[in-house]
Amino acid sequence: ILMVDEKGKNMKCLTFFLMLPETVKNRSKKSSKKGNSSSSSSSSSSKLPPVCYEIITLKTKKKKKMAADIFPRKKPANTNTTAVQQYHQQNLNNNNTIPAPNWQGLYPTIRERNAVMFNNDLMADVHFVVGPPGGTQRLPGHKYVLAVGSSVFHAMFYGELAEDKDEIRIPDVEPAAFLAMLKYIYCDEIDLAADTVLATLYAAKKYIVPHLARACVNFLETSLSAKNACVLLSQSCLFEEPDLTQRCWEVIDAQAELALKSEGFCDIDFQTLESILRRETLNAKEIVVFEAALNWAEVECQRQELTATIENKRKVLGKALYLIRIPTMALDDFANGAAQSGILTLNETNDIFLWYTAAKKPELQFVSKPRKGLVPQRCHRFQSCAYRSNQWRYRGRCDSIQFAVDKRVFIAGFGLYGSSCGSAEYSAKIELKRQGVILGQNLSKYFSDGSSNTFPVWFEYPVQIEPDTFYTASVILDGNELSYFGQEGMTEVQCGKVTVQFQCSSDSTNGTGVQGGQIPELIFYA
């Protein structure tokens, strides 16, 4: 048997000579013809071994390959496909029966053979009863494999205080999360889902499986949005993940109103509520902050099994109520909202009204200094602008440009050119898309004073933009007057720490492109 690699170059040549009975007789006859005695030839032929081998080592500059390199993971041959699929199904169902006597032969690498043992009773020397009472699941384990994958399991099974238990109860970890951790330890595979990733992160932290924990954090960061940012902020503090905490604050600050109106906001703990209400850079109207706090108080009453009365809402809010900057609300918002909510006492309501109107303002327990919010940045893509007697005209056609950034940002709106023939009003429909999917749009009007300045048009809520992906910014303007237009456009603009790239859009039907046209500015938070 000659074993060679794919290119026909063998590192080691292992040659087997199988001596069949007929071959032995033939060799015996040849020996007789050479003059040897029949007895001698018969004796020598009987002593010939049935098998002999020779190993020839060849010179090579190649490094030794591991089994995983020689046998990359491929689908098994057709003859074994059914058997492998059966093993995988047994693996998922925790079936402890392996029908094939030589199942090891189906898998060329130690990694794949090890993976067969995942959630398998075969040779299991420990079992875990995972989950809270009433929702437990019994899962098999193999101490050696677990100890290799986790220092906690090593101490549990082989440390100085190791206990020789056949069954270990783990009530604080969800079965699905524990299985996800075992799958990583046994199979070197990370299988995360949105509904179990937090529980998996908890398990990875508890049993000190750092690479799985890092993968969970990365998963959470990529799936982070205004809808789940508040909940993830609470969990990131619990798990002591500062990078994830910072990412959560970036989303909450920029998309504060969406985050505060999300269902997840009501699920946060009191400490997280206080930290959000204290936030200086919260980019939201104070009436939205006030309404979000009341919604949280109502859910908190349910958690504490209290009737959701005004008194109980105020009780669960406690001193956090005074972190809401009610005196900074617009007077209409206060008069029609906070003043009539019933959450404020009569004296507090009177004092706040005096704060709005009186020259001598009363002392208030509420913070009266407005939040700083976020300062929007402007990315200007043209080096100059101009106007002509026949340009830039609007007849319901679309001006569009594509852009990409190298860091996550939040597009708040666009800066647009105005009339070149004196003051004028325009109706603008702005839109932001990714691969044809609308992420944000708004219809508004803006008034231009006849100068070459740009005029901001805002989305209702800032739109989250991921790095290294092209988005399409579009606007349809309706106005009788000609406007200024940009020229000497740049394909790449450095704006603070963010690099923005531009390219032409196929949606543009009114002449806007990289070199010239409308949409001179992107307004964003970073």
Side-chain angles (χ1 to χ4, degrees), residues 430-445:
I430 59 173
E431 195 173 75
L432 193 58
K433 295 189 296 185
R434 177 182 179 182
Q435 297 178 346
V437 178
I438 297 176
L439 305 178
Q441 61 182 1
N442 197 19
L443 179 62
S444 62
K445 294 183 178 181

